């Protein structure tokens, strides 16, 4: 079909073969009523002519749009770019388009985007929610379209997340082995935290393993995190943490900047552990110690769950927990000696 020409219709396909429009409709929709030989001829001619089904007409006929939604928290965090990539690749292979939105940690915007997805009649939704999102509960109450939660426990809802408890265990034990005893975890405010089990596990380990557990609570923007980490460092040396555990490599990089602002060094004065193992993390100076996760696999598994639910295929595991590993690099070292 030439660029700028009218789109090829079923009538065009029928006319080129000398068959009825109804025969073309049956063949293209996969319904019975035409012979296998005729179906093959119609499909071949439709491909030759460049016929593409009208999306609106298909949606009206099937009550499906063949569009899946993906709502994430923060496009500035490269973690989510890989999640989107895995999600989109899996959807494209199944013939589905993807609609992506970013809430930017704003509950009002999250609600607006959920409304938009619902009104666009997407076939299913994967969401990395802001904390325990009431809007997500409302989605399940007003639509039967399948839902998958990302990076948070799902309960009765399908979910894909990484093993957060093991992630904390690996980071804490690595730092303790280096000799650290004053550890700080950087976390989002309680109402926006996607993974409260991380903080719970951190505090439990402090009791079990005998270290001081500090928390730095901050909005997860670069400016807010840099300020909050700087405040945690602006205390006498015996009182400040000797290591930070971040919930992302993005925030870990901000910690590098805050440490430098305080006239300190990573790792000589302060060790830093990230979470994600972004491609750039090994290239930071010093190279970042981090918890590695398969970000594209998160997106792939989320899309696969939605597609299985839509096509009523058996789902072996509704709440998927992906493994994590620790990549120890140069951003962690034994703590400095502190007098006083």
């Amino acid at each position: 079909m030439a660029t700028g020409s009218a789109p090829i219709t079923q009538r065009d396909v029928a006319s080129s073969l000398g068959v009825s429009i109804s025969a073309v409709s049956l063949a293209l929709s996969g319904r019975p009523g035409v012979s296998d030989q005729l179906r093959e001829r119609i499909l071949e001619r439709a491909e030759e002519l460049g016929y593409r089904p009208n999306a609106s007409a298909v949606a009206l006929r099937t009550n499906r749009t063949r569009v899946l939604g993906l709502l994430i928290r923060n496009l500035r965090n490269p973690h989510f770019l890989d999640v989107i990539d895995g999600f989109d690749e899996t959807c494209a292979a199944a013939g589905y388009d993807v609609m992506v939105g970013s809430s930017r940690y704003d509950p009002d915007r999250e609600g607006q985007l959920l409304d938009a997805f619902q009104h666009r009649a997407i076939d299913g939704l994967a969401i990395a929610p802001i904390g325990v999102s009431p809007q997500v509960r409302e989605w399940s109450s007003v639509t039967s379209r399948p839902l998958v939660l990302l990076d948070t426990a799902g309960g009765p809802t399908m979910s894909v997340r990484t093993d957060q408890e093991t992630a904390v265990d690996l980071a804490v034990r690595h730092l303790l082995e280096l000799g650290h005893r004053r550890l700080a975890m950087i976390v989002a405010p309680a109402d926006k935290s996607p993974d409260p089990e991380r903080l719970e596990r951190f505090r439990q380990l402090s009791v079990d393993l005998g270290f001081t557990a500090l928390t730095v609570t901050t909005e997860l923007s670069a400016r807010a995190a840099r300020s909050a980490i700087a405040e945690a460092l602006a205390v006498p040396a015996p009182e400040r943490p000797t290591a930070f555990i971040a919930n992302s490599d993005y925030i870990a990089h901000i910690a590098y900047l805050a440490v430098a602002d305080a006239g300190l060094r990573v790792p000589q004065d302060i060790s830093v552990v990230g979470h994600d193992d972004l491609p750039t993390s090994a290239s930071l100076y010093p190279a970042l110690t981090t918890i590695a996760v398969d970000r594209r696999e998160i997106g792939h598994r989320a899309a696969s769950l939605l597609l299985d639910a839509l096509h009523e295929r058996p789902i072996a595991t509704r709440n998927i927990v992906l493994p994590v590993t620790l990549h120890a690099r140069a951003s962690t070292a034994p703590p400095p000696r502190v007098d006083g």
Side-chain angles (χ1 to χ4, degrees), residues 202-213:
F202 181 61
R203 289 171 171 165
Q204 184 59 52
L205 285 175
S206 72
V207 174
D208 297 342
L209 302 179
F211 65 90
T212 300

Side-chain angles (χ1 to χ4, degrees), residues 158 304-306 308-310 312-320:
M158 295 186 294
S304 296
L305 282 175
L306 290 176
D308 286 344
L310 283 168
E312 300 182 345
R313 294 191 288 256
I315 299 176
T317 305
R318 292 176 57 85
N319 300 116
I320 297 171

